[in-house]
Amino acid sequence: MYTTRINFYQKNGFKDEVSFEGSVGQVINDALVIYKAEACLGDVLLIHLAIAYINKYGFDMLYQVMNKANGKELARGKTNMCVLIIAGERWLQYQKSYWQ
């Protein structure tokens, strides 16, 4: 899920999850993974990512992990991301313009 998240940020013009704009970054507030089936070494995985539950302090990232060959769902996950000013460790109200 980490690599999927970083790829998402980079495809949307951000360097990484720590460098949104100047000293604005984010931290993971909580995380959840539900394992549904086994994956084996060499399996090609397809990971769907969605942004949801946007509020003034952050948002959730929802993940669905699938086996590309047989379409079987392997896992679901969620990370709650809080946006803050990294240098001062102050919470920053979420700016909708980051995702428009």
Side-chain angles (χ1 to χ4, degrees), residues 9-70:
Y9 291 144
Q10 290 175 346
K11 286 181 182 179
N12 284 282
F14 300 106
K15 179 181 172 187
D16 54 34
E17 62 191 344
V18 179
S19 307
F20 275 4
E21 184 176 298
S23 62
V24 176
Q26 67 176 8
V27 294
I28 296 174
N29 185 44
D30 68 15
L32 170 72
V33 179
I34 301 169
Y35 295 99
K36 297 184 153 256
E38 183 178 42
C40 297
L41 182 63
D43 285 351
V44 177
L45 306 181
L46 178 62
I47 303 176
H48 300 281
L49 173 67
I51 305 295
Y53 310 112
I54 298 170
N55 63 61
K56 66 180 181 177
Y57 295 111
F59 52 92
D60 283 351
M61 297 184 106
L62 307 175
Y63 310 84
Q64 182 184 40
V65 183
M66 310 285 291
N67 182 314
K68 190 172 181 180
N70 62 21

